[in-house]
Amino acid sequence: MGAECCGPQEPQTSATAAENDDHAEHGAERLWQVRELQLAALAAVLLAAGWLIGLSGAERVGVGFELAAAVAGGATFVPGSLRNLLRRRIGVGTLMTIAAIGAVALGQFTEAALLGVLFSIAEGLEHYAIARTRRGLRALLGLVPPTASVLRESAEVQVAPDELVIGDRMLLRPGQRAATDGVIRSGRTSLDLSAITGESVPVEAGPGESVYAGAINGGGAIEVDVTAPASDSSLARIVHIVEEAQDRKGSGQRLADRIARPLVPGIMILAVLIAALGAVLDDPLVWIERALVVLVAASPCALAISVPLTVVAAVGAASRTGALVKGGAALEELGRIGTVAVDKTGTLTRNQPRVVQIVPVDGATEGEVLAVAAALEARSEHPLAQAILDATGERPATADAVTAVPGHGLHGQLNSSTLRLGKPGWITPGALAEDVEHLQQDGATVVLIERDEALLGAIAVRDELRAEAPEAIQQIHGLGIDSAMLTGDNTRTATALASQAGISTVHAELLPEDKARQLSSLSNGRTIAMVGDGVNDAPALATADVGIAMGAMGTDVAIETADVALMGEDLRHLPQVLAHARHARRVMLQNVGLSMAIITVLIPLAAFGVMGLATVVFVHELAEVLVIGNAIRAARARPLPEVAPVPGAAALPPAIAGKPTTRPEGDGCCDAC
């Protein structure tokens, strides 16, 4: 038996499942279009008419209008309650149905009608609030244009997005939106992703780079090869994942369920006891009436909807700012975060490393060192590898039998020579020890190159700190949250970058599994979040109380595995989503507290006859309306703490956008980040 009330997640007592699905998916556009509110208005009119007619002396006619009002008000929940009762489901609607029928049986038509009016209003407002938040999420799909221009058989044709197939070539003119995901075949442009990632700075894009559904072409005309059908585009996946997330229960919601579920049958037993004992000690009709009032007073409808509605509002609002929060559990944990552990590369840094210096040993040249390194890195997708390949300026020779040693480096064969490339420590720096130390102190990542067990040289690669990183870290500290850096890079480089960002706790030279083990000591008993790229940091993301993937737009692994996925590349979205989750958790606790307080106060007052049915109904439904209104507040953005201006950090709302990147685990280089 459940404690179902009005929420969309559980079987309802007020309407059929089909009706509730219609509410959740296609909720009325206007408040007056909500069925429950229409019936409540009709019942209120009939009740007022009956009261006026009764005053004129036609009491029987007035009673008839009052009875009709009770029927109209009860039509929103009585039929569904009876159907659920046949399925052995007892919920809040069952209590209300018993109270309404009992009031009619006792001749209290006005009270029965008032119960129907107020309960219907509360249900209608809840359905409207849920429908409105879901419409806001579904509106993301409205970013997809109704038609797409496609080049087929050398002719341009207009097709519906659902007709696009992988391999089609879309033509995007300036100002047009992409109908699905694809890769630019020809042309250069700037893409506006603000509606998807929450970042307002356009992203420069050219051949070979990704275009996501809903992106606006802000530059020249481009041709895009379709890589996913519209139904499986990144935008469609976002909407689907968030809709699923809204239905996931957090600990607060489970707490509300644990309280509400046994409360319903318990209330029914209490009402029977009150009626039975009262019948023995006093007038049976008086105590039966009080038992009915207790049924209404103890109804946990406000408690049952207090957390689910807050989750729906908060998760939907977060998704519209580029943050995917995977349900109530993740939202609640995110609201309790006390420590944030941050990966270095791609999170604190731009993930656009470049070679800043090449140091050969005596007898070797810079070109020789770079060529050998490029031969090993030619098939790697690691960011440091790309920096080395970019520095060569030409297609390098490719080494054979290249093998990655995760956390250390690469080894392979080229022209009968054995090559190694990796981090200092795995390869001894020898005569370059002082140069390596100096470069690391300057914040560069250094890799050493060895040929036939002889040191050939060192290459320094630096990935610049994100301009907004110091501001974001300050805002995190302003929320009372500690920060730490976890990285596989060397201690000197990590410390230099952490100092620039404003992070004092640094743990460097960590393997992926070391990062996961480090989290428990960092948390100090507090809830801890790990922020990374969703691939190389997978063990730490899974171990943390909340795993947060950074720059996850279009990245299946990051979106699916992380508890929270930040779709954009601006680190300032991190303190924003932390503040939003804290606010939502406060709203949850307020709603649960208010709901329990109302039940606790009303039960004794109803049992001893201090409050009648009409008064209890009014107070109870007013509390439900307050819970609904408070839950909607969870969708509002919360201002971040004021922080001192940080040199080099841009002010919001402009955001620093970049191309999302992923790194397959063990893909090469030294995994030093």
Side-chain angles (χ1 to χ4, degrees):
M1 294 185 296
E4 302 86 357
C5 178
C6 342
Q9 289 79 8
E10 300 287 349
Q12 308 292 306
T13 58
S14 59
T16 65
E19 289 171 336
N20 288 328
D21 287 343
D22 182 66
H23 275 301
E25 291 295 324
H26 310 290
E29 294 293 332
R30 298 288 183 269
L31 200 61
W32 57 267
Q33 293 176 317
V34 179
R35 174 178 174 271
E36 289 85 356
L37 296 182
Q38 290 174 341
L39 288 172
L42 174 61
V45 170
L46 291 172
L47 181 60
W51 180 70
L52 292 174
I53 292 172
L55 290 179
S56 67
E59 293 184 3
R60 289 190 177 182
V61 177
V63 168
F65 272 87
E66 291 175 356
L67 183 58
V71 171
T76 65
F77 60 92
V78 173
S81 297
L82 295 177
R83 282 192 294 269
N84 279 335
L85 196 57
L86 293 176
R87 301 185 187 113
R88 302 182 65 183
R89 293 176 183 166
I90 298 176
V92 172
T94 310
L95 304 183
M96 293 298 183
T97 298
I98 294 172
I101 294 174
V104 170
L106 294 174
Q108 297 184 358
F109 305 121
T110 301
E111 287 78 2
L114 187 60
L115 186 152
V117 169
L118 294 177
F119 190 59
S120 296
I121 289 175
E123 278 200 304
L125 290 176
E126 183 205 347
H127 286 148
Y128 179 74
I130 291 173
R132 193 179 74 170
T133 56
R134 288 194 184 275
R135 279 200 307 273
L137 175 61
R138 301 294 297 184
L140 284 174
L141 291 180
L143 298 176
V144 176
T147 60
S149 298
V150 182
L151 299 176
R152 290 179 178 171
E153 297 180 357
S154 302
E156 180 180 343
V157 296
Q158 299 292 316
V159 301
D162 290 341
E163 297 176 13
L164 291 169
V165 297
I166 296 175
D168 271 343
R169 186 167 300 172
M170 291 189 299
L171 177 62
L172 283 184
R173 294 184 173 86
Q176 291 184 329
R177 289 186 184 272
T180 188
D181 297 346
V183 175
I184 297 176
R185 179 64 175 266
S186 64
R188 297 197 65 84
T189 186
S190 59
L191 298 173
D192 181 357
L193 300 174
S194 58
I196 306 169
T197 66
E199 298 175 353
S200 58
V201 174
V203 180
E204 297 298 322
E209 297 189 283
S210 298
V211 176
Y212 301 114
I216 301 174
N217 179 14
I222 55 175
E223 293 181 7
V224 180
D225 289 338
V226 172
T227 57
S231 60
D232 194 36
S233 70
S234 55
L235 194 59
R237 290 200 310 272
I238 290 171
V239 173
H240 175 68
I241 289 170
V242 175
E243 286 183 330
E244 284 187 337
Q246 288 177 330
D247 293 335
R248 296 180 184 175
K249 294 185 178 183
S251 58
Q253 185 170 344
R254 289 191 292 268
L255 173 63
D257 287 346
R258 285 199 299 270
I259 296 172
R261 193 152 283 155
L263 191 59
V264 173
I267 292 165
M268 298 179 71
I269 294 172
L270 176 63
V272 170
L273 291 175
I274 290 173
L277 291 175
V280 173
L281 300 175
D282 202 350
D283 184 354
L285 291 179
V286 171
W287 286 94
I288 289 175
E289 180 183 343
R290 290 183 181 179
L292 294 176
V293 177
V294 167
L295 285 178
V296 176
S299 172
C301 191
L303 178 64
I305 68 170
S306 58
V307 176
L309 188 55
T310 306
V311 170
V312 169
V315 171
S319 70
R320 293 190 293 276
T321 59
L324 298 188
V325 182
K326 307 287 277 297
L331 184 70
E332 290 180 55
E333 289 296 299
L334 196 62
R336 296 167 49 202
I337 293 298
T339 304
V340 171
V342 186
D343 179 40
K344 180 176 75 68
T345 301
T347 304
L348 285 175
T349 63
R350 292 178 180 272
N351 205 16
Q352 297 173 348
R354 59 187 180 87
V355 173
V356 293
Q357 191 170 344
I358 302 171
V359 184
V361 297
D362 292 339
T365 65
E366 291 186 6
E368 187 179 4
V369 173
L370 192 58
V372 171
L376 284 169
E377 299 283 25
R379 294 177 180 174
S380 174
E381 295 181 6
H382 195 284
L384 297 187
Q386 190 59 49
I388 291 172
L389 294 174
D390 289 343
T392 62
E394 57 185 26
R395 186 178 180 85
T398 303
D400 299 319
V402 177
T403 304
V405 181
H408 297 293
L410 301 168
H411 60 77
Q413 299 286 327
L414 180 65
N415 298 331
S416 73
S417 294
T418 300
L419 310 179
R420 284 207 306 165
L421 177 151
K423 65 198 303 184
W426 190 56
I427 296 177
T428 304
L432 301 181
E434 289 187 11
D435 297 286
V436 168
E437 182 177 351
H438 176 72
L439 290 168
Q440 289 176 340
Q441 288 175 344
D442 287 342
T445 297
V446 180
V447 292
L448 297 171
I449 297 89
E450 191 179 76
R451 182 170 59 192
D452 293 329
E453 299 184 0
L455 184 65
L456 196 62
I459 298 177
V461 180
R462 186 158 52 219
D463 189 5
E464 300 297 338
L465 190 72
R466 293 180 184 272
E468 77 275 13
E471 180 184 353
I473 297 300
Q474 271 195 299
Q475 290 172 336
I476 290 171
H477 293 165
L479 292 170
I481 299 173
D482 297 332
S483 65
M485 177 196 285
L486 300 182
T487 178
D489 210 341
N490 67 83
T491 301
R492 293 187 184 90
T493 299
T495 302
L497 281 168
S499 177
Q500 295 175 37
I503 298 175
S504 57
T505 303
V506 180
H507 295 274
E509 301 182 32
L510 301 176
L511 297 174
E513 56 270 26
D514 296 331
K515 294 181 182 180
R517 285 193 289 267
Q518 195 70 47
L519 292 175
S520 58
S521 61
L522 281 174
S523 65
N524 292 322
R526 305 168 73 187
T527 305
I528 188 167
M530 175 68 195
V531 187
D533 61 15
V535 181
N536 281 356
D537 299 308
L541 290 171
T543 303
D545 296 302
V546 180
I548 303 175
M550 177 79 180
M553 184 64 194
T555 308
D556 291 339
V557 173
I559 294 176
E560 294 292 344
T561 59
D563 300 302
V564 180
L566 302 181
M567 309 311 294
E569 294 281 342
D570 192 329
L571 191 58
R572 287 169 295 194
H573 288 311
L574 177 59
Q576 286 176 337
V577 75
L578 289 170
H580 179 68
R582 282 195 169 189
H583 171 59
R585 185 170 180 271
R586 283 195 296 269
V587 170
M588 290 181 196
L589 296 177
Q590 290 166 1
N591 281 346
V592 171
L594 175 62
S595 304
M596 291 302 300
I598 292 295
I599 293 173
T600 303
V601 171
L602 288 185
I603 287 179
L605 294 178
F608 292 103
V610 176
M611 299 178 69
L613 182 60
T615 306
V616 167
V617 168
F618 178 78
V619 173
H620 186 275
E621 301 310 323
L622 176 62
E624 189 174 347
V625 171
L626 290 176
V627 164
I628 293 170
N630 195 40
I632 293 174
R633 289 177 53 242
R636 297 178 183 173
R638 303 300 297 172
L640 288 167
E642 291 290 337
V643 297
V646 181
L652 287 173
I656 299 171
K659 178 183 176 182
T661 60
T662 59
R663 304 192 314 249
E665 188 164 357
D667 64 348
C669 194
C670 57
D671 196 25
C673 36

